[in-house]
Each structure stands twice: as structure tokens, then as C-alpha cells.
Amino acid sequence: MKHILDWSHSFTHRLEGSGFSTLRQAGRAQSLAARLRAHLQADTLPFLSLSFRKPLEEALPPVLERIAPYKHMVLLGIGGSALGARALQKAFYPQQDWPGHTGKCLWVEDNIDAPALDALMHNLPPHDTVVVVVSKSGGTIETMAQFILVRAWLQNALGDAWKQHVVLVTDATCGELRHEAETHGLMTLPVPDHLGGRYSVLCAVGMLPAAFLGIDYQALLSGAAAVSTSLLEQPETLATHPAFRLALWNEALMGADYSQLLFFCYVPQWQYMGAWFAQLWAESLGKQGKGSLPVPAVGVTDQHSTNQMFLDGPRDKGCLFVSCAAQDKGRAFPAELGPRWTYLQGKHFGDLLQAEGLGTRMALAQSGVPVTHLALGGTGEEAAGRFMQLAMAATVFTGWLLDIDPLDQPAVELGKRLANARLGAPGYAEEEKALARFMAEQGKDVDTI
Ligand code: PA5
């Protein structure tokens, strides 16, 4: 089912005369289309080409079959290696959070949260648990540290059989996890080349946990393919693709000093799509002083939280507003409601969501927030695949328009190097000295509370 992008309220006077309207004639779209064609020929944007789909469809079922008997899956990963799986879990397997759940469980561990990891190891039955370690690089310290501890837990409980309880999702040839898989003969699935974490949800990174929970991963992939096929077949049509139009709009927003992009989602079960989108957008575009800060919000909850700031705070926000008219409306209100609530008679609980979504969207537009409305045609897996592909493509195209590389994340490396130095890892002499200087400056001007 197709989604609609409605631009009726996307512009305010500040955007008039911006690049949005002129860029298509300026020939820039043409050069970006040539860039797209080159990427597709070299298969360096596999999230778009989905060139990994067939190999995935072959490799996934045997792994799924081997892990099918387990009730629990513990996913160890961070950033793009975890957020997509959680977004899909919350959207399509909400029952795990509901009372009375007895089915399979997915536990996504994406932090250095010692009590949480202890609780898992204390309470989960190792014989009924599969541990999935997701790391493209195979060297991310948070994920590897988790793996070291969880592997010891499995080994203590299961002896040599621990090897039947681990799946490594990592680079096909390189890295420590790949080495680990070969050394111990562990189950593995590859993260394809050129598919960095935040663009990897549709490969085994997100599809293995999704399929374990019974989520229709084929529909997710088909939804994504529906969005990108026209680009693959005719890259020269880039200028008219909705993802490119979203990118143009965002470039125009940034150019007009809109420094924040609200992602206001009125599909409650898609709440964690906001966290997934925020990481995708921020880590891809926050470079060289450019980009906009993604602000995830969920309707209706955040009407009673951040919405006041959206409506009447600094005029620096654009909004991608996501809703779906075709959501389950839940129960009807009973006939006896008392005088105050009579107007709810004959309506359903979900009617509130629709009415409040409309009200908020209009209030945002009337208060001058440029709002682009993504009206979803559905909220199932195919719809999610379409949405995720649109978001990933729009992010990359925005990066291209900003003349930055949307696929790297150089700035976050310094903090990692400093943490390594602090932990005594070899090879960080300069960072150790810099840390010592930084720490010597601390504590000179403090308050005590
Ligand atoms: O989106 C990204 O590229 C990052 O957030 C990575 O996913 C994150 O740093 C984890 O990397 P890796 O998968 O190599 O462990």
C-alpha cells in the first residue's frame, strides 16, 4: 500500500526562493543522478539496490531453523547494529511488552548497562537462549565487551554446546568476530560490503531478529524494493523521486536556519522508528557544521511534553509528520458516557488519535512550522519497508546536496580513542597525554549541590 507525501504545508516565507524550487532546473540534480548511477554500477549503495536480498534469502532460513527451538534471543550490538531491530520489534511484536506474553522474546542490549546485562544472565535459561552478536566492524568495544561476558555465561552453563547458541552477524571476511566464527565454527550471517550500521536494517542485522519473532521480513524487503526500483532502473529520474524531494526540502530548511527536524509520529507502535531515524539522520548528516538535529516525538504522548516548544519555541524547526488513517481503532466507547463525554458515543478509542493528530498537524502548520506530511498507506511490514527505504534514501541524498559524506561518522572516533586510552589500550600515547591535560583542568570551578 503506497504512502502519500503531502507538501501542502511544507513551506513558510523563509523557504521561498530557496534552492528547493530552483535546484531541479539548475542541473545539479543531473550530476547527482550521474553520481547515483556510478554508485549503482559499483554496488556501493546496497541498501538501495538490495543486492544482498537473494543471498540473504538463501542464508537466513538454515540459521532460523537451527535457532527456532530457542525461546529467547539476546541481541548484542549498538547504534545502527541495534536500533533497526528494536524499531521492528516494537512495531511488529508489541505483545512482548503486553501482559500474558508467553511466546518468543527478543532482548536488545545496546548499552553498557551493567544491571540489565546481569539481570539477563541471571534470569534467562542459557539452554533456551540464542545470543546474536551484531557488529559490522567486529571491533566495537561495547559489543565485544558484552560478548566476552555473555560467552563466559554460556560456556559456564553449557560447556562446549555454547557454540550452538551464538550467531555472529558481521563482515563477510574481516574483523575479530569473523575470526571468532572461523575459530569456533559458529553460525554466522554477513553484513554486506558498503552497508554501514545505520543503513543495514534490511540485511541480516535487522532481518534475523525480525524473522525470529515471526515478523514478515520478506514484506519488509518488498516494501523497500518498491521505493527504490525506479531509481535502480532509471537513475536519471532522481530529481522526481520523493526521497530526493525530501532531501531538497531538508537542504532548503537548513539553508533557511531551520536547525531541527521534528519526526512527529502518530503511529504509537512505530515510536521506536523515531530513534532509528534519529540515528540515521544525525550520524549521517552532522558534519562540517552542517545538518539538522533530528527530534523524535510520538503522538499523542508528546502533545503533553515537547509540543509546546515545537509550537511556540524558537522558530528553528521543520517537521516530518507521520500518520496513518488505517490504524486499528480498538474498542468503541459504551453508550452510557455521562454528559461531559456524550460526543464520544459511537466513536472508537483510535478516533482520538486521528483527531488529535490532525489538530496537532494543523496547529504546527498555523504556528509557522514547515510541515511535510507522510500519510502512510498502512502500518504493516510492507509499509515499514517503504518508509525505511524512503528515509535512508532521503538521508543519503541530503548528504549529497550538502556536499558531505552521509556514509561515514569521523567525529565520533575521537571519543572512542580517548576511552581506549583511559582503559589502557596500547597505541594511544597522544590521547593519554591529551586526557591528562583535560583532567588537570577539571574541578577548578565547581558548585556543590
Ligand atoms: O550506524 C553506524 O554506522 C554506527 O552506529 C554503527 O552501527 C555502530 O558504531 C556499531 O558499529 P559496528 O556494527 O561496527 O559494531
Side-chain angles (χ1 to χ4, degrees), residues 78-81 134-138 140 196-198 279 283 409 416:
I78 196 163
S81 290
V134 184
S135 176
K136 162 85 173 140
S137 62
T140 301
R198 55 194 180 272
Q279 190 249 352
E283 207 165 48
Q409 58 281 330
K416 291 184 195 171

Side-chain angles (χ1 to χ4, degrees), residues 105-386:
C105 294
L106 171 65
W107 309 98
V108 179
E109 291 304 299
D110 65 345
N111 202 351
I112 304 174
D113 183 341
L117 195 65
D118 269 354
L120 282 189
M121 291 192 282
H122 190 71
N123 292 304
L124 290 183
H127 68 274
D128 211 7
T129 300
V130 58
V131 176
V132 176
V133 190
V134 184
S135 176
K136 162 85 173 140
S137 62
T140 301
I141 188 168
E142 297 89 345
T143 306
M144 295 309 288
Q146 288 173 322
F147 180 42
I148 291 165
L149 294 170
V150 173
R151 181 178 52 193
W153 169 71
L154 286 175
Q155 283 169 334
N156 283 341
L158 304 171
D160 210 38
W162 74 274
K163 295 173 190 166
Q164 312 307 319
H165 291 253
V166 172
V167 184
L168 304 183
V169 181
T170 190
D171 188 272
T173 52
C174 310
E176 205 181 316
L177 278 184
R178 180 54 54 191
H179 177 69
E180 190 77 4
E182 280 159 14
T183 307
H184 299 291
L186 305 176
M187 288 179 268
T188 67
L189 288 165
V191 183
D193 289 347
H194 308 292
L195 202 64
R198 55 194 180 272
Y199 298 95
S200 71
V201 60
L202 296 170
C203 78
V205 169
M207 297 301 95
L208 175 64
F212 176 76
L213 296 177
I215 295 169
D216 187 350
Y217 72 95
Q218 289 287 10
L220 280 155
L221 287 161
S222 298
V227 170
S228 48
T229 303
S230 66
L231 288 174
L232 306 186
E233 289 172 356
Q234 292 175 299
E236 65 279 6
T237 62
L238 176 70
T240 57
H241 195 279
F244 192 68
R245 202 168 175 199
L246 261 181
L248 288 172
W249 178 63
N250 275 289
E251 190 210 20
L253 284 172
M254 292 169 204
D257 293 331
Y258 290 94
S259 58
Q260 304 194 25
L261 177 65
L262 312 179
F263 179 84
F264 213 155
C265 182
Y266 272 71
V267 181
Q269 289 176 7
W270 281 30
Q271 175 171 359
Y272 285 84
M273 290 289 181
W276 172 81
F277 175 76
Q279 190 249 352
L280 170 71
W281 192 258
E283 207 165 48
S284 298
L285 301 180
K287 284 157 203 171
Q288 300 170 22
K290 299 177 184 174
S292 55
L293 181 71
V295 181
V298 67
V300 302
T301 308
D302 287 320
Q303 284 175 214
H304 297 259
S305 171
T306 40
N307 198 32
Q308 172 67 32
M309 181 65 80
F310 300 164
L311 290 163
D312 207 19
R315 305 286 168 193
D316 57 358
K317 298 166 191 67
C319 178
L320 181 61
F321 192 97
V322 181
S323 74
C324 178
Q327 293 181 69
D328 179 0
K329 287 184 174 182
R331 295 191 183 202
F333 293 103
E336 297 304 318
L337 287 168
R340 181 158 178 206
W341 304 110
T342 314
Y343 63 90
L344 291 178
Q345 264 173 17
K347 299 197 171 63
H348 289 70
F349 187 45
D351 288 323
L352 271 68
L353 180 72
Q354 300 299 338
E356 294 191 32
L358 177 61
T360 301
R361 181 158 55 85
M362 182 168 159
L364 284 165
Q366 285 206 341
S367 70
V369 176
V371 180
T372 294
H373 182 201
L374 176 60
L376 302 173
T379 56
E381 286 95 330
E382 205 262 356
R386 280 178 189 264

Side-chain angles (χ1 to χ4, degrees), residues 16-91:
E16 278 157 23
S18 67
F20 188 88
S21 50
T22 53
L23 190 118
R24 282 185 218 192
Q25 295 100 44
R28 201 159 156 220
Q30 230 174 337
S31 76
L32 293 180
R35 183 170 174 180
L36 174 63
R37 184 184 293 281
H39 271 289
L40 293 173
Q41 274 164 2
D43 200 14
T44 43
L45 287 179
F47 83 86
L48 207 58
S49 69
L50 296 170
S51 55
F52 54 82
R53 182 171 182 175
K54 207 161 175 292
L56 174 72
E57 284 167 345
E58 282 164 13
L60 195 51
V63 174
L64 285 172
E65 201 179 315
R66 283 179 66 183
I67 65 175
Y70 304 131
K71 176 171 175 175
H72 299 277
M73 175 181 280
V74 175
L75 190 157
L76 308 178
I78 196 163
S81 290
L83 287 162
R86 181 181 284 126
L88 296 176
Q89 173 192 26
K90 298 292 183 184

